[in-house]
Amino acid sequence: MWCCFMNNSYFTEYSFQNLREAGMSFEEVFKRILQFMSLSPCGNYKLMIGTDSQVHKCKTVFITGIVIQNEGKGVWACINKLTVPRKMVHLYERISRELSLTEEVVSFFTKERKDQLINIVLPYVYQGASFTMEGHIDIGAGNRNKTSEFVKEMVARIESMGVEPKIKPDAFVASSYANRYTR
């Protein structure tokens, strides 16, 4: 990941990958999502974004997953990997960084981009088509869960972005999909 200033605006270039493609820009990812949804515009779509991390001996690996699901009919997904060259041993710091990475990717889906996605299903709404966007947070509310004290804050952060928050066990993009690539 690299950052620079262009025309007084902050621009971040991410590199996404999946099992078929590597080195995709966010623009390419967005085009893949548009293509996936256009194949079946009368589908029930969930756009889900979530991040997980794993602390290793000398580094911490963060994986942010983007998943577009046509319920019952398939998915298209990709990840972005960020490596921090130190052990992030404090749970709050790691969870907060995971959510910040999720928030950043969510912010790439501007109103104009979301409108493009909604416009694909809009003509088919009365036939049952739908589109929702979720932020998957790798935390749980159970009493025995070490992250339960952060739930209220993290959920509020995602809600403030106009995205439906999901926590464990419903946050599978973070807790399952992204987790698979943190090892």
Side-chain angles (χ1 to χ4, degrees):
M1 178 172 65
W2 58 271
C3 303
C4 65
F5 288 93
M6 297 177 68
N7 300 331
N8 295 327
S9 65
Y10 185 64
F11 177 75
T12 304
E13 182 63 38
Y14 274 71
S15 179
F16 293 90
Q17 66 185 51
N18 60 22
L19 296 176
R20 293 184 180 198
E21 296 178 88
M24 288 182 284
S25 68
F26 179 76
E27 281 304 318
E28 291 169 313
V29 167
F30 186 70
K31 286 178 187 172
R32 301 299 183 286
I33 293 169
L34 286 171
Q35 290 168 348
F36 180 79
M37 290 180 65
S38 295
L39 291 173
S40 182
C42 55
N44 295 106
Y45 291 97
K46 287 185 181 180
L47 177 59
M48 301 166 282
I49 301 158
T51 304
D52 192 24
S53 63
Q54 181 74 39
V55 178
H56 297 272
K57 187 176 181 180
C58 299
K59 63 185 178 183
T60 305
V61 175
F62 291 87
I63 299 290
T64 302
I66 300 175
V67 176
I68 181 73
Q69 177 187 33
N70 184 358
E71 289 186 74
K73 298 189 177 153
V75 300
W76 183 90
C78 65
I79 60 167
N80 170 260
K81 181 178 183 176
L82 171 70
T83 301
V84 174
R86 68 179 174 86
K87 288 177 75 168
M88 295 176 77
V89 294
H90 298 288
L91 183 60
Y92 180 80
E93 177 190 23
R94 227 174 43 252
I95 296 295
S96 186
R97 183 72 174 265
E98 288 175 8
L99 189 58
S100 293
L101 292 167
T102 297
E103 289 170 323
E104 189 162 355
V105 172
V106 165
S107 76
F108 295 165
F109 289 91
T110 60
K111 181 186 179 329
E112 293 76 24
R113 286 185 176 125
K114 285 190 249 184
D115 286 347
Q116 280 184 267
L117 299 173
I118 291 166
N119 286 335
I120 291 171
V121 299
L122 195 57
Y124 304 94
V125 167
Y126 292 113
Q127 286 129 8
S130 63
F131 173 81
T132 58
M133 193 166 172
E134 300 176 353
H136 287 205
I137 313 166
D138 192 29
I139 56 177
N143 290 339
R144 294 170 54 191
N145 194 308
K146 292 184 232 172
T147 58
S148 62
E149 64 185 289
F150 312 131
V151 169
K152 199 173 197 178
E153 174 191 346
M154 303 299 167
V155 164
R157 284 173 56 181
I158 285 291
E159 285 177 333
S160 74
M161 298 188 78
V163 175
E164 186 178 339
K166 295 290 182 179
I167 63 170
K168 289 178 183 178
D170 300 318
F172 68 88
V173 172
S175 61
S176 239
Y177 177 63
N179 177 272
R180 173 182 326 158
Y181 298 97
T182 61
R183 311 263 173 236

